[in-house]
Structures are given as C-alpha cells and as structure tokens.
PDB file of all heavy atoms in Angstrom:
ATOM      1  N   THR A1396      -2.907   8.901-111.470  1.00 97.00           N
ATOM      2  CA  THR A1396      -3.215   8.597-110.182  1.00 97.00           C
ATOM      3  C   THR A1396      -2.060   9.068-109.195  1.00 97.00           C
ATOM      4  O   THR A1396      -2.350   9.550-108.082  1.00 97.00           O
ATOM      5  CB  THR A1396      -3.484   7.146-110.065  1.00 97.00           C
ATOM      6  OG1 THR A1396      -4.529   6.842-111.110  1.00 97.00           O
ATOM      7  CG2 THR A1396      -3.993   6.782-108.713  1.00 97.00           C
ATOM      8  N   ILE A1397      -0.885   8.806-109.526  1.00 98.00           N
ATOM      9  CA  ILE A1397       0.202   9.231-108.668  1.00 98.00           C
ATOM     10  C   ILE A1397       0.247  10.771-108.519  1.00 98.00           C
ATOM     11  O   ILE A1397       0.454  11.173-107.411  1.00 98.00           O
ATOM     12  CB  ILE A1397       1.653   8.683-109.182  1.00 98.00           C
ATOM     13  CG1 ILE A1397       1.656   7.132-109.069  1.00 98.00           C
ATOM     14  CG2 ILE A1397       2.776   9.322-108.518  1.00 98.00           C
ATOM     15  CD1 ILE A1397       2.963   6.478-109.769  1.00 98.00           C
ATOM     16  N   ALA A1398      -0.066  11.398-109.538  1.00 97.00           N
ATOM     17  CA  ALA A1398      -0.093  12.916-109.528  1.00 97.00           C
ATOM     18  C   ALA A1398      -1.195  13.366-108.551  1.00 97.00           C
ATOM     19  O   ALA A1398      -1.071  14.243-107.711  1.00 97.00           O
ATOM     20  CB  ALA A1398      -0.249  13.513-110.807  1.00 97.00           C
ATOM     21  N   MET A1399      -2.375  12.650-108.641  1.00 97.00           N
ATOM     22  CA  MET A1399      -3.448  12.987-107.778  1.00 97.00           C
ATOM     23  C   MET A1399      -3.069  12.696-106.241  1.00 97.00           C
ATOM     24  O   MET A1399      -3.405  13.414-105.207  1.00 97.00           O
ATOM     25  CB  MET A1399      -4.721  12.265-108.161  1.00 97.00           C
ATOM     26  CG  MET A1399      -5.404  12.660-109.476  1.00 97.00           C
ATOM     27  SD  MET A1399      -5.916  14.344-109.562  1.00 97.00           S
ATOM     28  CE  MET A1399      -4.448  15.069-110.432  1.00 97.00           C
ATOM     29  N   ILE A1400      -2.412  11.524-106.027  1.00 97.00           N
ATOM     30  CA  ILE A1400      -2.033  11.145-104.720  1.00 97.00           C
ATOM     31  C   ILE A1400      -1.004  12.258-104.203  1.00 97.00           C
ATOM     32  O   ILE A1400      -1.115  12.797-103.037  1.00 97.00           O
ATOM     33  CB  ILE A1400      -1.224   9.871-104.630  1.00 97.00           C
ATOM     34  CG1 ILE A1400      -2.330   8.755-105.052  1.00 97.00           C
ATOM     35  CG2 ILE A1400      -0.596   9.480-103.382  1.00 97.00           C
ATOM     36  CD1 ILE A1400      -1.737   7.352-105.253  1.00 97.00           C
ATOM     37  N   ARG A1401      -0.069  12.689-104.968  1.00 96.00           N
ATOM     38  CA  ARG A1401       1.019  13.623-104.495  1.00 96.00           C
ATOM     39  C   ARG A1401       0.415  14.981-104.345  1.00 96.00           C
ATOM     40  O   ARG A1401       1.102  15.732-103.620  1.00 96.00           O
ATOM     41  CB  ARG A1401       2.181  13.655-105.489  1.00 96.00           C
ATOM     42  CG  ARG A1401       2.807  12.188-105.791  1.00 96.00           C
ATOM     43  CD  ARG A1401       3.405  11.649-104.430  1.00 96.00           C
ATOM     44  NE  ARG A1401       4.561  12.481-104.075  1.00 96.00           N
ATOM     45  CZ  ARG A1401       5.292  12.400-102.981  1.00 96.00           C
ATOM     46  NH1 ARG A1401       4.878  11.378-102.048  1.00 96.00           N
ATOM     47  NH2 ARG A1401       6.308  13.081-102.657  1.00 96.00           N
ATOM     48  N   THR A1402      -0.619  15.292-104.897  1.00 96.00           N
ATOM     49  CA  THR A1402      -1.284  16.657-104.846  1.00 96.00           C
ATOM     50  C   THR A1402      -2.443  16.759-103.831  1.00 96.00           C
ATOM     51  O   THR A1402      -3.145  17.672-103.793  1.00 96.00           O
ATOM     52  CB  THR A1402      -1.680  17.247-106.172  1.00 96.00           C
ATOM     53  OG1 THR A1402      -2.575  16.291-106.790  1.00 96.00           O
ATOM     54  CG2 THR A1402      -0.563  17.446-107.140  1.00 96.00           C
ATOM     55  N   GLY A1403      -2.518  15.673-102.955  1.00 95.00           N
ATOM     56  CA  GLY A1403      -3.431  15.732-101.810  1.00 95.00           C
ATOM     57  C   GLY A1403      -4.831  15.368-102.247  1.00 95.00           C
ATOM     58  O   GLY A1403      -5.751  15.641-101.354  1.00 95.00           O
ATOM     59  N   ARG A1404      -5.151  14.744-103.339  1.00 95.00           N
ATOM     60  CA  ARG A1404      -6.486  14.294-103.633  1.00 95.00           C
ATOM     61  C   ARG A1404      -6.901  12.891-103.096  1.00 95.00           C
ATOM     62  O   ARG A1404      -8.015  12.489-103.337  1.00 95.00           O
ATOM     63  CB  ARG A1404      -6.731  14.284-105.144  1.00 95.00           C
ATOM     64  CG  ARG A1404      -6.126  15.463-105.857  1.00 95.00           C
ATOM     65  CD  ARG A1404      -6.629  16.833-105.340  1.00 95.00           C
ATOM     66  NE  ARG A1404      -8.132  16.985-105.688  1.00 95.00           N
ATOM     67  CZ  ARG A1404      -8.713  18.215-105.433  1.00 95.00           C
ATOM     68  NH1 ARG A1404      -8.078  19.142-104.870  1.00 95.00           N
ATOM     69  NH2 ARG A1404      -9.952  18.261-105.687  1.00 95.00           N
ATOM     70  N   VAL A1405      -5.872  12.194-102.449  1.00 96.00           N
ATOM     71  CA  VAL A1405      -6.110  10.922-101.823  1.00 96.00           C
ATOM     72  C   VAL A1405      -5.557  11.044-100.405  1.00 96.00           C
ATOM     73  O   VAL A1405      -4.595  11.433-100.160  1.00 96.00           O
ATOM     74  CB  VAL A1405      -5.479   9.800-102.589  1.00 96.00           C
ATOM     75  CG1 VAL A1405      -5.566   8.416-101.924  1.00 96.00           C
ATOM     76  CG2 VAL A1405      -5.975   9.643-104.021  1.00 96.00           C
ATOM     77  N   ARG A1406      -6.368  10.409 -99.471  1.00 95.00           N
ATOM     78  CA  ARG A1406      -5.960  10.137 -98.095  1.00 95.00           C
ATOM     79  C   ARG A1406      -6.017   8.743 -97.757  1.00 95.00           C
ATOM     80  O   ARG A1406      -7.093   8.152 -97.883  1.00 95.00           O
ATOM     81  CB  ARG A1406      -6.864  11.033 -97.085  1.00 95.00           C
ATOM     82  CG  ARG A1406      -6.304  11.158 -95.741  1.00 95.00           C
ATOM     83  CD  ARG A1406      -7.169  12.127 -94.915  1.00 95.00           C
ATOM     84  NE  ARG A1406      -7.208  13.402 -95.429  1.00 95.00           N
ATOM     85  CZ  ARG A1406      -7.903  14.432 -94.942  1.00 95.00           C
ATOM     86  NH1 ARG A1406      -8.634  14.283 -93.848  1.00 95.00           N
ATOM     87  NH2 ARG A1406      -7.911  15.582 -95.433  1.00 95.00           N
ATOM     88  N   ASP A1407      -4.944   8.173 -97.175  1.00 95.00           N
ATOM     89  CA  ASP A1407      -4.796   6.902 -97.134  1.00 95.00           C
ATOM     90  C   ASP A1407      -4.903   6.212 -98.435  1.00 95.00           C
ATOM     91  O   ASP A1407      -4.052   6.533 -99.272  1.00 95.00           O
ATOM     92  CB  ASP A1407      -5.811   6.301 -96.005  1.00 95.00           C
ATOM     93  CG  ASP A1407      -5.451   4.845 -95.483  1.00 95.00           C
ATOM     94  OD1 ASP A1407      -4.595   4.232 -96.175  1.00 95.00           O
ATOM     95  OD2 ASP A1407      -5.996   4.408 -94.475  1.00 95.00           O
ATOM     96  N   ASN A1408      -5.952   5.321 -98.627  1.00 94.00           N
ATOM     97  CA  ASN A1408      -6.075   4.817-100.054  1.00 94.00           C
ATOM     98  C   ASN A1408      -7.469   5.232-100.441  1.00 94.00           C
ATOM     99  O   ASN A1408      -8.101   4.510-101.226  1.00 94.00           O
ATOM    100  CB  ASN A1408      -5.814   3.426-100.142  1.00 94.00           C
ATOM    101  CG  ASN A1408      -6.719   2.536 -99.369  1.00 94.00           C
ATOM    102  OD1 ASN A1408      -7.370   2.944 -98.384  1.00 94.00           O
ATOM    103  ND2 ASN A1408      -6.788   1.238 -99.693  1.00 94.00           N
ATOM    104  N   LEU A1409      -8.066   6.290-100.061  1.00 95.00           N
ATOM    105  CA  LEU A1409      -9.406   6.645-100.308  1.00 95.00           C
ATOM    106  C   LEU A1409      -9.423   7.982-100.991  1.00 95.00           C
ATOM    107  O   LEU A1409      -8.758   8.917-100.704  1.00 95.00           O
ATOM    108  CB  LEU A1409     -10.181   6.815 -98.918  1.00 95.00           C
ATOM    109  CG  LEU A1409     -10.258   5.393 -98.062  1.00 95.00           C
ATOM    110  CD1 LEU A1409     -10.906   5.766 -96.724  1.00 95.00           C
ATOM    111  CD2 LEU A1409     -11.069   4.376 -98.863  1.00 95.00           C
ATOM    112  N   MET A1410     -10.383   7.947-101.855  1.00 93.00           N
ATOM    113  CA  MET A1410     -10.634   9.222-102.720  1.00 93.00           C
ATOM    114  C   MET A1410     -11.452  10.228-101.817  1.00 93.00           C
ATOM    115  O   MET A1410     -12.748  10.028-101.661  1.00 93.00           O
ATOM    116  CB  MET A1410     -11.286   8.956-104.084  1.00 93.00           C
ATOM    117  CG  MET A1410     -12.543   8.172-104.125  1.00 93.00           C
ATOM    118  SD  MET A1410     -13.159   7.854-105.752  1.00 93.00           S
ATOM    119  CE  MET A1410     -12.201   6.413-106.268  1.00 93.00           C
ATOM    120  N   ILE A1411     -10.913  11.388-101.493  1.00 94.00           N
ATOM    121  CA  ILE A1411     -11.560  12.259-100.568  1.00 94.00           C
ATOM    122  C   ILE A1411     -12.131  13.490-101.286  1.00 94.00           C
ATOM    123  O   ILE A1411     -12.750  14.343-100.699  1.00 94.00           O
ATOM    124  CB  ILE A1411     -10.694  12.762 -99.415  1.00 94.00           C
ATOM    125  CG1 ILE A1411      -9.440  13.487 -99.989  1.00 94.00           C
ATOM    126  CG2 ILE A1411     -10.245  11.657 -98.516  1.00 94.00           C
ATOM    127  CD1 ILE A1411      -8.596  14.180 -98.910  1.00 94.00           C
ATOM    128  N   HIS A1412     -12.051  13.520-102.577  1.00 94.00           N
ATOM    129  CA  HIS A1412     -12.595  14.625-103.388  1.00 94.00           C
ATOM    130  C   HIS A1412     -13.542  14.080-104.510  1.00 94.00           C
ATOM    131  O   HIS A1412     -13.701  14.860-105.442  1.00 94.00           O
ATOM    132  CB  HIS A1412     -11.453  15.355-103.992  1.00 94.00           C
ATOM    133  CG  HIS A1412     -10.701  16.235-102.992  1.00 94.00           C
ATOM    134  ND1 HIS A1412     -11.060  17.523-102.528  1.00 94.00           N
ATOM    135  CD2 HIS A1412      -9.515  16.007-102.238  1.00 94.00           C
ATOM    136  CE1 HIS A1412     -10.231  17.988-101.714  1.00 94.00           C
ATOM    137  NE2 HIS A1412      -9.317  17.053-101.590  1.00 94.00           N
ATOM    138  N   LEU A1413     -14.073  12.907-104.411  1.00 92.00           N
ATOM    139  CA  LEU A1413     -14.894  12.367-105.323  1.00 92.00           C
ATOM    140  C   LEU A1413     -16.211  13.186-105.414  1.00 92.00           C
ATOM    141  O   LEU A1413     -16.528  13.875-104.466  1.00 92.00           O
ATOM    142  CB  LEU A1413     -15.226  10.935-105.109  1.00 92.00           C
ATOM    143  CG  LEU A1413     -16.324  10.626-104.060  1.00 92.00           C
ATOM    144  CD1 LEU A1413     -16.962   9.283-104.228  1.00 92.00           C
ATOM    145  CD2 LEU A1413     -15.741  10.679-102.636  1.00 92.00           C
ATOM    146  N   ARG A1414     -16.884  13.099-106.543  1.00 91.00           N
ATOM    147  CA  ARG A1414     -18.110  13.973-106.755  1.00 91.00           C
ATOM    148  C   ARG A1414     -19.280  12.905-106.604  1.00 91.00           C
ATOM    149  O   ARG A1414     -19.516  12.162-107.527  1.00 91.00           O
ATOM    150  CB  ARG A1414     -18.101  14.712-108.064  1.00 91.00           C
ATOM    151  CG  ARG A1414     -17.006  15.703-108.216  1.00 91.00           C
ATOM    152  CD  ARG A1414     -17.034  16.311-109.636  1.00 91.00           C
ATOM    153  NE  ARG A1414     -15.972  17.366-109.602  1.00 91.00           N
ATOM    154  CZ  ARG A1414     -15.572  17.782-110.935  1.00 91.00           C
ATOM    155  NH1 ARG A1414     -16.158  17.335-112.137  1.00 91.00           N
ATOM    156  NH2 ARG A1414     -14.671  18.810-110.928  1.00 91.00           N
ATOM    157  N   PRO A1415     -19.949  12.923-105.560  1.00 92.00           N
ATOM    158  CA  PRO A1415     -21.107  11.963-105.246  1.00 92.00           C
ATOM    159  C   PRO A1415     -22.409  12.279-106.053  1.00 92.00           C
ATOM    160  O   PRO A1415     -23.330  12.808-105.511  1.00 92.00           O
ATOM    161  CB  PRO A1415     -21.334  12.134-103.824  1.00 92.00           C
ATOM    162  CG  PRO A1415     -20.793  13.515-103.409  1.00 92.00           C
ATOM    163  CD  PRO A1415     -19.768  13.811-104.309  1.00 92.00           C
ATOM    164  N   THR A1416     -22.371  11.920-107.410  1.00 90.00           N
ATOM    165  CA  THR A1416     -23.349  12.387-108.241  1.00 90.00           C
ATOM    166  C   THR A1416     -24.348  11.199-108.529  1.00 90.00           C
ATOM    167  O   THR A1416     -25.204  11.302-109.398  1.00 90.00           O
ATOM    168  CB  THR A1416     -22.936  12.945-109.575  1.00 90.00           C
ATOM    169  OG1 THR A1416     -21.866  11.993-110.107  1.00 90.00           O
ATOM    170  CG2 THR A1416     -22.107  14.228-109.351  1.00 90.00           C
ATOM    171  N   SER A1417     -24.175  10.079-107.867  1.00 92.00           N
ATOM    172  CA  SER A1417     -25.040   8.931-108.068  1.00 92.00           C
ATOM    173  C   SER A1417     -25.219   8.224-106.822  1.00 92.00           C
ATOM    174  O   SER A1417     -24.480   8.406-105.813  1.00 92.00           O
ATOM    175  CB  SER A1417     -24.363   7.960-109.191  1.00 92.00           C
ATOM    176  OG  SER A1417     -23.122   7.389-108.609  1.00 92.00           O
ATOM    177  N   GLU A1418     -26.006   7.283-106.774  1.00 94.00           N
ATOM    178  CA  GLU A1418     -26.313   6.498-105.564  1.00 94.00           C
ATOM    179  C   GLU A1418     -25.079   5.775-105.074  1.00 94.00           C
ATOM    180  O   GLU A1418     -24.708   5.788-103.926  1.00 94.00           O
ATOM    181  CB  GLU A1418     -27.481   5.500-105.768  1.00 94.00           C
ATOM    182  CG  GLU A1418     -28.801   6.146-105.710  1.00 94.00           C
ATOM    183  CD  GLU A1418     -29.965   5.054-105.665  1.00 94.00           C
ATOM    184  OE1 GLU A1418     -29.597   3.827-105.632  1.00 94.00           O
ATOM    185  OE2 GLU A1418     -31.030   5.420-105.413  1.00 94.00           O
ATOM    186  N   LYS A1419     -24.323   5.135-106.049  1.00 94.00           N
ATOM    187  CA  LYS A1419     -23.189   4.442-105.717  1.00 94.00           C
ATOM    188  C   LYS A1419     -22.156   5.313-105.096  1.00 94.00           C
ATOM    189  O   LYS A1419     -21.491   5.089-104.077  1.00 94.00           O
ATOM    190  CB  LYS A1419     -22.604   3.723-106.957  1.00 94.00           C
ATOM    191  CG  LYS A1419     -21.289   3.050-106.808  1.00 94.00           C
ATOM    192  CD  LYS A1419     -20.812   2.612-108.087  1.00 94.00           C
ATOM    193  CE  LYS A1419     -20.072   3.717-108.871  1.00 94.00           C
ATOM    194  NZ  LYS A1419     -19.374   3.268-110.063  1.00 94.00           N
ATOM    195  N   LEU A1420     -21.929   6.449-105.670  1.00 93.00           N
ATOM    196  CA  LEU A1420     -20.981   7.458-105.234  1.00 93.00           C
ATOM    197  C   LEU A1420     -21.307   8.063-103.981  1.00 93.00           C
ATOM    198  O   LEU A1420     -20.434   8.438-103.107  1.00 93.00           O
ATOM    199  CB  LEU A1420     -20.620   8.518-106.374  1.00 93.00           C
ATOM    200  CG  LEU A1420     -20.042   7.931-107.572  1.00 93.00           C
ATOM    201  CD1 LEU A1420     -19.859   9.070-108.653  1.00 93.00           C
ATOM    202  CD2 LEU A1420     -18.651   7.252-107.296  1.00 93.00           C
ATOM    203  N   ARG A1421     -22.579   8.360-103.738  1.00 95.00           N
ATOM    204  CA  ARG A1421     -22.996   8.908-102.303  1.00 95.00           C
ATOM    205  C   ARG A1421     -22.775   7.864-101.216  1.00 95.00           C
ATOM    206  O   ARG A1421     -22.370   8.240-100.198  1.00 95.00           O
ATOM    207  CB  ARG A1421     -24.506   9.214-102.444  1.00 95.00           C
ATOM    208  CG  ARG A1421     -24.633  10.600-103.176  1.00 95.00           C
ATOM    209  CD  ARG A1421     -26.137  11.048-103.045  1.00 95.00           C
ATOM    210  NE  ARG A1421     -27.070  10.292-103.802  1.00 95.00           N
ATOM    211  CZ  ARG A1421     -27.514  10.489-105.007  1.00 95.00           C
ATOM    212  NH1 ARG A1421     -26.791  11.426-105.756  1.00 95.00           N
ATOM    213  NH2 ARG A1421     -28.325   9.645-105.533  1.00 95.00           N
ATOM    214  N   TYR A1422     -23.007   6.536-101.511  1.00 96.00           N
ATOM    215  CA  TYR A1422     -22.799   5.641-100.597  1.00 96.00           C
ATOM    216  C   TYR A1422     -21.253   5.392-100.326  1.00 96.00           C
ATOM    217  O   TYR A1422     -20.857   5.319 -99.180  1.00 96.00           O
ATOM    218  CB  TYR A1422     -23.276   4.250-101.106  1.00 96.00           C
ATOM    219  CG  TYR A1422     -22.959   3.051-100.125  1.00 96.00           C
ATOM    220  CD1 TYR A1422     -23.535   3.083 -98.765  1.00 96.00           C
ATOM    221  CD2 TYR A1422     -22.129   2.032-100.444  1.00 96.00           C
ATOM    222  CE1 TYR A1422     -23.313   2.016 -97.956  1.00 96.00           C
ATOM    223  CE2 TYR A1422     -21.740   1.047 -99.457  1.00 96.00           C
ATOM    224  CZ  TYR A1422     -22.484   1.029 -98.243  1.00 96.00           C
ATOM    225  OH  TYR A1422     -22.083   0.045 -97.446  1.00 96.00           O
ATOM    226  N   ARG A1423     -20.474   5.540-101.435  1.00 95.00           N
ATOM    227  CA  ARG A1423     -19.043   5.519-101.262  1.00 95.00           C
ATOM    228  C   ARG A1423     -18.408   6.670-100.437  1.00 95.00           C
ATOM    229  O   ARG A1423     -17.708   6.552 -99.496  1.00 95.00           O
ATOM    230  CB  ARG A1423     -18.262   5.477-102.621  1.00 95.00           C
ATOM    231  CG  ARG A1423     -16.821   5.482-102.659  1.00 95.00           C
ATOM    232  CD  ARG A1423     -16.148   5.479-104.042  1.00 95.00           C
ATOM    233  NE  ARG A1423     -16.590   4.282-104.762  1.00 95.00           N
ATOM    234  CZ  ARG A1423     -16.508   4.209-106.112  1.00 95.00           C
ATOM    235  NH1 ARG A1423     -15.951   5.125-106.783  1.00 95.00           N
ATOM    236  NH2 ARG A1423     -16.800   3.084-106.639  1.00 95.00           N
ATOM    237  N   ALA A1424     -19.038   7.891-100.637  1.00 96.00           N
ATOM    238  CA  ALA A1424     -18.791   9.132 -99.901  1.00 96.00           C
ATOM    239  C   ALA A1424     -18.989   8.890 -98.441  1.00 96.00           C
ATOM    240  O   ALA A1424     -18.248   9.212 -97.496  1.00 96.00           O
ATOM    241  CB  ALA A1424     -19.466  10.374-100.321  1.00 96.00           C
ATOM    242  N   LEU A1425     -20.120   8.386 -98.064  1.00 97.00           N
ATOM    243  CA  LEU A1425     -20.562   8.055 -96.707  1.00 97.00           C
ATOM    244  C   LEU A1425     -19.539   7.067 -96.075  1.00 97.00           C
ATOM    245  O   LEU A1425     -19.048   7.379 -94.938  1.00 97.00           O
ATOM    246  CB  LEU A1425     -21.927   7.483 -96.754  1.00 97.00           C
ATOM    247  CG  LEU A1425     -22.453   7.155 -95.314  1.00 97.00           C
ATOM    248  CD1 LEU A1425     -22.892   8.483 -94.616  1.00 97.00           C
ATOM    249  CD2 LEU A1425     -23.817   6.298 -95.465  1.00 97.00           C
ATOM    250  N   ARG A1426     -19.098   6.010 -96.695  1.00 96.00           N
ATOM    251  CA  ARG A1426     -18.211   5.055 -96.224  1.00 96.00           C
ATOM    252  C   ARG A1426     -16.794   5.721 -96.107  1.00 96.00           C
ATOM    253  O   ARG A1426     -16.130   5.437 -95.060  1.00 96.00           O
ATOM    254  CB  ARG A1426     -17.978   3.828 -97.180  1.00 96.00           C
ATOM    255  CG  ARG A1426     -19.303   2.971 -97.373  1.00 96.00           C
ATOM    256  CD  ARG A1426     -19.466   2.150 -96.017  1.00 96.00           C
ATOM    257  NE  ARG A1426     -18.164   1.288 -95.854  1.00 96.00           N
ATOM    258  CZ  ARG A1426     -17.961   0.129 -96.354  1.00 96.00           C
ATOM    259  NH1 ARG A1426     -18.824  -0.423 -97.155  1.00 96.00           N
ATOM    260  NH2 ARG A1426     -16.925  -0.530 -96.025  1.00 96.00           N
ATOM    261  N   VAL A1427     -16.330   6.580 -96.935  1.00 97.00           N
ATOM    262  CA  VAL A1427     -15.061   7.278 -96.699  1.00 97.00           C
ATOM    263  C   VAL A1427     -15.061   8.161 -95.406  1.00 97.00           C
ATOM    264  O   VAL A1427     -14.125   8.104 -94.741  1.00 97.00           O
ATOM    265  CB  VAL A1427     -14.840   8.138 -98.082  1.00 97.00           C
ATOM    266  CG1 VAL A1427     -13.543   9.061 -97.776  1.00 97.00           C
ATOM    267  CG2 VAL A1427     -14.511   7.219 -99.145  1.00 97.00           C
ATOM    268  N   VAL A1428     -16.199   8.906 -95.295  1.00 96.00           N
ATOM    269  CA  VAL A1428     -16.248   9.726 -94.103  1.00 96.00           C
ATOM    270  C   VAL A1428     -16.193   8.841 -92.677  1.00 96.00           C
ATOM    271  O   VAL A1428     -15.514   9.120 -91.849  1.00 96.00           O
ATOM    272  CB  VAL A1428     -17.439  10.642 -94.165  1.00 96.00           C
ATOM    273  CG1 VAL A1428     -17.641  11.276 -92.837  1.00 96.00           C
ATOM    274  CG2 VAL A1428     -17.425  11.664 -95.302  1.00 96.00           C
ATOM    275  N   MET A1429     -17.033   7.857 -92.868  1.00 96.00           N
ATOM    276  CA  MET A1429     -16.926   6.860 -91.773  1.00 96.00           C
ATOM    277  C   MET A1429     -15.611   6.285 -91.429  1.00 96.00           C
ATOM    278  O   MET A1429     -15.292   6.138 -90.200  1.00 96.00           O
ATOM    279  CB  MET A1429     -18.065   5.583 -91.996  1.00 96.00           C
ATOM    280  CG  MET A1429     -19.519   6.133 -92.003  1.00 96.00           C
ATOM    281  SD  MET A1429     -20.609   4.934 -92.605  1.00 96.00           S
ATOM    282  CE  MET A1429     -20.396   3.643 -91.309  1.00 96.00           C
ATOM    283  N   GLU A1430     -14.879   5.979 -92.474  1.00 95.00           N
ATOM    284  CA  GLU A1430     -13.491   5.300 -92.238  1.00 95.00           C
ATOM    285  C   GLU A1430     -12.536   6.365 -91.681  1.00 95.00           C
ATOM    286  O   GLU A1430     -11.764   6.027 -90.906  1.00 95.00           O
ATOM    287  CB  GLU A1430     -13.088   4.836 -93.552  1.00 95.00           C
ATOM    288  CG  GLU A1430     -13.713   3.613 -94.105  1.00 95.00           C
ATOM    289  CD  GLU A1430     -13.190   2.276 -93.482  1.00 95.00           C
ATOM    290  OE1 GLU A1430     -12.181   2.299 -92.862  1.00 95.00           O
ATOM    291  OE2 GLU A1430     -13.842   1.259 -93.639  1.00 95.00           O
TER     292      GLU A1430
END
C-alpha cells in the first residue's frame, strides 16, 4: 500500500485507480469523483 501511495495510485486517502467492476465499486468510484 505504501508503494501504491508513493507511486501516485492514491490521492488524499482515496483510491483513484480502482476498477469499478461491480455495483459497490461503481458507487465508490462515483463518491471518489464527487469528493
């Protein structure tokens, strides 16, 4: 996780490169963009 943070895969404390392949993850992606 620290490696992912340090290589730009996390912004603030949100995962900005998640793969929204389910309803839960699509809703999470929507919330991340809104935030």
